[in-house]
Amino acid sequence: MPILSLCIPSLLERSDSLERLITSIHAQPRSAEVELVIGIDDRDAPTGTKRNQLVAWATGDYIAHVDDDDSVSPHYLERVLAAIESMAHVDVVLVRGVREIPLEGAPRPHHVTAFDFRLRGRYTDHRDSVMDGRTFWQWPNHLCPVRAPLAKSTPFPDLTRGEDLVYKRALFPKLRTWVRARDDGEPLY
């Protein structure tokens, strides 16, 4: 059984970006310990429905989602798997990343925001997300590897947009233990 299942929903018209993502994941150390669960369609179903199908197919001990047009650090697998191994049966692995918001028609993003996840402490008691300076702090969501029984018991709603927000709000009360993937100052996502 793989340690980690990476669920990747994709669209027929995004085959180039899916290919780049798959190639970058296979080039990483420890990729043999990871299962890629890929679903490709032609906008036939809402994103939440597609994510639920991928989760149902996943056989790993942990489940995370990566969108086909996203990229992960060359150290993503190594650091996430090391974090999982550092704490037996941990509920969630927290990762840090960067979100690029494109400016229509521009070749480069016009705004780059760091994002990070917290389970306890500042900003997590009553709010699921808050901006602090240039970091967007939020509750763990589908980008964070979650122990498979928890991921499988927290379905995504049948929505095309906002399914991740509903998911993280349903998942948060179930999470008791966490570990942060070491990133050495380099975002993993």
Side-chain angles (χ1 to χ4, degrees):
M1 180 185 312
I3 297 171
L4 176 65
S5 294
L6 287 179
C7 297
I8 307 171
S10 188
L11 298 170
L12 289 172
E13 72 248 24
R14 298 206 310 216
S15 61
D16 289 346
S17 59
L18 176 62
E19 178 82 23
R20 272 191 302 278
L21 177 63
I22 292 170
T23 300
S24 75
I25 290 169
H26 283 304
Q28 296 190 29
R30 302 189 67 177
S31 64
E33 299 169 66
V34 175
E35 168 188 53
L36 298 184
V37 185
I38 301 167
I40 301 171
D41 76 343
D42 196 18
R43 300 185 192 276
D44 299 327
T47 307
T49 304
K50 292 187 272 192
R51 290 192 194 283
N52 288 333
Q53 184 62 64
L54 297 174
V55 168
W57 294 337
T59 62
D61 296 327
Y62 287 81
I63 297 172
H65 298 260
V66 179
D67 291 342
D68 62 0
D69 59 348
D70 289 346
S71 59
V72 295
S73 157
H75 308 290
Y76 177 84
L77 295 181
E78 178 183 15
R79 305 277 170 83
V80 165
L81 294 173
I84 290 169
E85 293 164 346
S86 74
M87 187 174 178
H89 309 294
V90 66
D91 289 341
V92 63
V93 177
L94 305 179
V95 296
R96 193 169 62 90
V98 174
R99 181 174 164 210
E100 297 179 350
I101 304 168
L103 177 63
E104 194 158 327
R108 294 173 174 248
H110 76 284
H111 183 69
V112 177
T113 302
F115 65 83
D116 206 337
F117 301 98
R118 287 193 179 167
L119 227 60
R120 304 285 180 262
R122 189 174 181 200
Y123 303 137
T124 58
D125 297 335
H126 304 291
R127 295 177 281 182
D128 60 13
S129 61
V130 68
M131 192 72 173
D132 177 13
R134 291 187 52 90
T135 301
F136 182 67
W137 291 99
Q138 57 185 317
W139 291 349
N141 65 16
H142 64 297
L143 306 178
C144 296
V146 174
R147 204 162 42 86
L150 293 173
K152 289 180 180 275
S153 70
T154 311
F156 287 86
D158 294 329
L159 299 172
T160 297
R161 294 197 181 277
E163 84 289 348
D164 52 346
L165 177 64
V166 176
Y167 172 79
K168 79 175 176 181
R169 288 178 176 164
L171 179 66
F172 184 75
K174 299 177 182 183
L175 301 174
R176 298 288 177 254
T177 58
W178 61 273
V179 64
R180 181 171 298 282
R182 191 183 105 231
D183 61 28
D184 294 337
E186 172 193 344
L188 294 178
Y189 196 92

